[in-house]
Structures are given as structure tokens and as C-alpha cells.
Amino acid sequence: MSPVQENLRWPRVSKFTLSACAATVAELVTFPLDLTKTRLQIQGEGGSQQHGGNVQPPKYRGMLSTALGIVREEGPLKLWQGVTPAIYRHIVYSGGRMLAYEQLRESVLGRSEDGVFPVWKAVIGSMISGALGQFIASPTDLVKVQMQMEGRRRLEGKQPRVHGVYHAFTKIVAEGGIRGLWAGWVPNVQRAALVNLGDLMTYDTVKHFLLRNTSIPDNSICHGLASICSGLVAAIMGTPADVVKTRVMNQPRDSNGRGLLYKSSTDCLVQSVRKEGFFSLYKGFLPTWFRMAPWSLTFWLTFEQMRRAMGISSF
């Protein structure tokens, strides 16, 4: 039985579960870097640095400074604040995107006659699967971002907006209705499509390039090299959309659920560049990369080993 036939034989729920479990492990290992990245990206947006009519300098000036500041002022466990909805998100997002990509690769788009999955098909498959998975998981991402910012709000003397995952969901629905759960979904999906393009397409392409053109066997070394490349490309492509997404989702809203700072993701993009310069779109790039690299490494190594343990052929 060929690897393609073997992959199609396995129930979709098994593949979804393996992807979700591997993503959960990666999320727990690297979540403090995600919190650090979010705090850095929020700095500088409208209203966050206004105090008594005066512009306040940024509180954090780097990844290490941000992480140490959180530990010193809020406690080490706050580095995992918001990890619960983050795990919920990855169960839906990573499980969905991996399953969708594999189905597109093996059944819908199809490989070439020589068994190679062309790069252009990998681009299409990775962007579609990422966008689909993120759209479904967008409500959990909104809750995650809001919970990550609660520590900073308390230090600034502001009342907490949410007190837990359930309260965050109910508060969002009460203020903006069901549609409020998908606030910021456009930049969310755009980011996911770009990140998936960098992650899935790069990993799949680099891994099989190494297997075809080098003597490296299909083992952890091959998986590690491919995952390092995928983490870097994903960070480069996804950071601008991630900055816009984070700011749109974290902004205060009126009684109708409309944002008070930005009218749309495009408006947020234009305001950020006009007020803070182009490189404001790459705020938090280093923590994004430093997180994506170990996240990608942890996820792909765990995922490939789980597939092997379950008797499923290598991805």
C-alpha cells in the first residue's frame, strides 16, 4: 500500500486528534513567548500611551525586558495567562488546518505523477487550510488576546475586563452579539493564511526536497531542519498581519460592538504606518520568530513521532 493510500485509510478524526495533541504540547512549551510578543505589539497603539494628555514612553523595549517585567511585576505564572483559550484555539485551528491540508494534498489538488506535490499547489493548499482553520477558531483567538492583556490592565489601575474563559465569551456575546466573537476575523484569517503559507508549505517542500536530494533520512534531523526553515518564513510573512490582528481584536468597543480605535484592519494598518512608521508592523518580530521557531520545532517533531507511533506514514 502506498503512503497516499495509507494516509487516506486512516480516519480523519485520528489525524485531527494527533494534530491537536502535538499543537497543545507546542503551545504549552512556547506560550510565554506569545504573551511577550502580544505585550510588545500593543505598545504604541492609540490610547495606550496617552496619560493626562501626555505621550508616555513605551514601558517595554525588548523581548527580555518584557518577559522579566511580567515576572517581576505580575509573577512567573502570568507568563501563561491566557494559555487555556490558546489551547482551545489550537485544538480547533491546528487540528483543522493539518487535516484540511493533507486532504487537499492527497485527494483534491493531488500530487504529480512522480509523487511530488508542486510548490504552487502547496501554496494554495496551505493558504486555504490556514484560512479555514483560523476562521473557525477565531472566537478562541479573540478571548486569548483579551486574557493576555489583563495583567497589564491591572498594573495600570484599570478594572479587569474578563475573569476567565467562560466570562470572556459571555461578555463578548453580550456586548457585540454572536458576530462579536468574530471581531477582527479578517486580519485573523489573513494572518493565518500567510503563516500557514510559511509554515506548512515551507515544511512540506523543504522536507521532501531534503529527502529527494540529500542523503538525510526521514528522521528527526530532517524534520528539525524543515521546521526551522518553516518557523523563519512563517514569522517573516505573518508578523505584519499579526500586529494588525492583535490591535484590532484588543481595542475597546462601543455598545454595538464596533471598534473605537480602528474602523477596519485596513484602517489599523494605515494608522499604524502613518503614526509609527512601516517597521511598527514588525513590532514583536524577534519574539514572534523566537516563538515560531521552537513552536514549529516542537510541533513537527511531536507530530511526526506521534504519526510513527500510531503507524501512520510520515507527513
Side-chain angles (χ1 to χ4, degrees):
M1 183 180 292
S2 69
V4 173
Q5 292 174 322
E6 183 180 347
N7 280 334
L8 294 176
R9 179 176 62 87
W10 273 86
R12 293 182 178 89
V13 65
S14 298
K15 295 180 179 178
F16 180 94
T17 302
L18 289 179
S19 303
C21 289
T24 298
V25 173
E27 195 68 18
L28 287 171
V29 170
T30 63
F31 188 80
L33 292 172
D34 189 45
L35 178 65
T36 302
K37 174 202 70 176
T38 301
R39 294 286 182 93
L40 283 171
Q41 289 174 340
I42 291 297
Q43 287 190 143
E45 65 178 312
S48 68
Q49 296 194 46
Q50 299 291 330
H51 183 73
N54 298 320
V55 177
Q56 301 296 314
K59 181 176 181 180
Y60 302 126
R61 294 188 178 276
M63 178 183 172
L64 183 60
S65 172
T66 304
L68 291 176
I70 293 170
V71 171
R72 182 173 58 252
E73 298 167 6
E74 305 171 43
L77 292 181
K78 291 299 181 181
L79 290 172
W80 279 270
Q81 183 163 8
V83 70
T84 302
I87 291 175
Y88 291 162
R89 178 224 175 206
H90 266 290
I91 290 175
V92 179
Y93 169 64
S94 288
R97 76 184 177 105
M98 296 299 295
L99 178 61
Y101 180 81
E102 196 162 3
Q103 291 300 310
L104 287 169
R105 184 182 66 182
E106 309 297 353
S107 301
V108 180
L109 297 173
R111 299 174 184 265
S112 302
E113 292 183 359
D114 58 359
V116 175
F117 192 51
V119 173
W120 70 269
K121 288 186 178 182
V123 169
I124 295 173
S126 60
M127 294 188 74
I128 291 175
S129 59
L132 178 62
Q134 185 57 56
F135 178 77
I136 298 172
S138 195
T140 56
D141 209 20
L142 176 62
V143 171
K144 182 195 77 170
V145 171
Q146 293 197 359
M147 288 188 67
Q148 284 178 331
M149 299 313 299
E150 285 307 305
R152 195 186 76 168
R153 288 178 62 84
R154 292 189 181 95
L155 289 177
E156 292 174 348
K158 299 176 182 178
Q159 290 295 319
R161 291 184 297 187
V162 296
H163 301 283
V165 176
Y166 177 76
H167 178 249
F169 273 111
T170 56
K171 183 175 183 294
I172 293 169
V173 172
E175 293 179 351
I178 296 296
R179 290 181 60 185
L181 291 172
W182 273 267
W185 73 269
V186 174
N188 223 3
V189 168
Q190 291 170 342
R191 174 193 179 270
L194 291 171
V195 169
N196 238 37
L197 174 60
D199 182 34
L200 268 175
M201 184 275 291
T202 303
Y203 179 84
D204 197 17
T205 303
V206 171
K207 173 188 169 182
H208 289 95
F209 175 85
L210 292 174
L211 293 177
R212 290 193 308 270
N213 297 283
T214 72
S215 59
I216 299 176
D218 189 0
N219 59 14
S220 296
I221 295 177
C222 177
H223 305 157
L225 291 173
S227 67
I228 290 172
C229 294
S230 69
L232 176 59
V233 177
I236 292 172
M237 302 192 69
T239 298
D242 193 27
V243 171
V244 172
K245 178 210 73 170
T246 301
R247 291 187 173 193
V248 169
M249 295 175 71
N250 191 63
Q251 67 176 323
R253 301 184 179 277
D254 61 19
S255 58
N256 295 319
R258 290 190 293 265
L260 298 177
L261 297 178
Y262 313 114
K263 298 177 182 178
S264 63
S265 57
T266 303
D267 181 49
C268 178
L269 176 68
V270 172
Q271 284 196 45
S272 298
V273 173
R274 185 173 64 242
K275 294 178 180 178
E276 305 168 52
F278 173 78
F279 287 102
S280 67
L281 298 177
Y282 279 89
K283 278 190 173 182
F285 171 76
L286 284 180
T288 297
W289 180 30
F290 289 161
R291 178 179 188 259
M292 280 188 172
W295 194 99
S296 183
L297 182 65
T298 305
F299 172 78
W300 286 112
L301 289 178
T302 304
F303 182 60
E304 294 278 20
Q305 291 303 313
M306 282 181 161
R307 288 175 70 99
R308 180 171 298 177
M310 293 293 292
I312 307 176
S313 64
S314 175
F315 184 81

